[in-house]
Amino acid sequence: ASLTAYADNMLDKDYIVREIWSDCWNGKGDDGLIFPEASYKHHILTEWVNDNYGDDNYDWSKVGQLNYNFKDYYDELTGDWNFNDDRDGNWTIITDETTYHFNLQNGKWLMSDDNGNVIDSFMPFSTLTEDTAEENRNSVITDDGKCTAHRVGENLKIEEDTTVGVSEEATKPTSAEKSSNGLIYEIGGIILAGIAVLAEFLIKKKRG
């Protein structure tokens, strides 16, 4: 009944998901077939929209308000969760009761607890683009649990080594510079010798 009453003004479900997701995820690249984070969080959002679409408790004609509604739900759902990324392809959710693990099997991500019980499953969802594919390898994922997942540029050691290498090379004179410097010193020596001879000649002339 609620769905019928609001049908004329309700936004499309896919549009709602896209708009909330773009604000929530912030454009970080995540390969859905390797890392489960984006897939699971997109799954949470999609399930929330599907389960509540048309409910009188929400205004389905205003995506901005729905964005706030979903974030309230997400914060309450994940408030006691600790998202953990070991930077080696393993992403887990640690709670007081258990640790949830994710494994890709038969084209689906399976979410299991410490006892091996599968408590949820969902399809891979990739946010990886060509621009972020290489960047992904030398970056750290930080997650504050507030429906955000920002990527922070990292790999300081690589940057430091690169900077040192460039600096050392930059300080080494090239063969052309060496030749140029040698020529300058040679010309300078000739000029000084000429000045000394001229000075000696003038002194002798003055004495004579």
Side-chain angles (χ1 to χ4, degrees), residues 87 135 137-141 151-159:
R87 298 179 59 193
E135 173 190 337
R137 299 176 185 174
N138 296 325
S139 302
V140 173
I141 300 170
R151 181 166 295 283
V152 179
E154 217 237 0
N155 209 337
L156 301 180
K157 186 178 186 306
I158 290 179
E159 293 177 0

Side-chain angles (χ1 to χ4, degrees), residues 1-202:
S2 297
L3 186 60
T4 303
Y6 289 96
D8 292 339
N9 297 319
M10 287 172 59
L11 299 171
D12 180 73
K13 283 196 292 186
D14 291 339
Y15 171 77
I16 294 171
V17 170
R18 285 196 306 270
E19 289 299 304
I20 296 178
W21 177 255
S22 64
D23 181 67
C24 211
W25 189 247
N26 261 340
K28 179 178 70 66
D30 199 37
D31 189 336
L33 294 174
I34 299 177
F35 306 105
E37 181 185 4
S39 301
Y40 182 59
K41 291 183 177 180
H42 191 268
H43 169 65
I44 292 175
L45 169 60
T46 304
E47 288 293 293
W48 180 82
V49 173
N50 287 334
D51 291 344
N52 295 283
Y53 194 62
D55 192 309
D56 289 340
N57 292 319
Y58 306 107
D59 186 345
W60 296 96
S61 65
K62 297 179 180 178
V63 70
Q65 185 58 49
L66 292 170
N67 196 355
Y68 284 116
N69 295 144
F70 172 71
K71 286 183 177 179
D72 287 343
Y73 164 78
Y74 182 88
D75 290 345
E76 183 177 355
L77 175 68
T78 65
D80 297 326
W81 294 3
N82 180 24
F83 296 102
N84 180 55
D85 188 343
D86 69 356
R87 298 179 59 193
D88 193 29
N90 296 313
W91 187 75
T92 58
I93 297 175
I94 302 172
T95 69
D96 293 337
E97 293 79 22
T98 188
T99 296
Y100 295 107
H101 307 269
F102 298 85
N103 296 290
L104 188 66
Q105 293 184 17
N106 299 322
K108 277 189 176 183
W109 282 107
L110 303 183
M111 180 180 182
S112 307
D113 59 20
D114 280 334
N115 296 319
N117 300 315
V118 176
I119 57 101
D120 203 350
S121 64
F122 46 91
M123 296 299 295
F125 180 82
S126 179
T127 61
L128 193 65
T129 64
E130 291 183 5
D131 293 336
T132 57
E134 187 64 29
E135 173 190 337
N136 235 8
R137 299 176 185 174
N138 296 325
S139 302
V140 173
I141 300 170
T142 121
D143 193 332
D144 58 9
K146 301 298 182 185
C147 194
T148 57
H150 304 277
R151 181 166 295 283
V152 179
E154 217 237 0
N155 209 337
L156 301 180
K157 186 178 186 306
I158 290 179
E159 293 177 0
E160 180 181 340
D161 291 346
T162 303
T163 303
V164 171
V166 170
S167 299
E168 289 176 352
E169 288 299 320
T171 58
K172 293 180 181 178
T174 63
S175 57
E177 289 173 338
K178 289 178 181 178
S179 299
S180 177
N181 290 340
L183 182 61
I184 291 173
Y185 292 144
E186 185 177 343
I187 294 174
I190 294 173
I191 293 174
L192 290 176
I195 293 174
V197 171
L198 180 61
E200 183 179 356
F201 173 77
L202 293 175

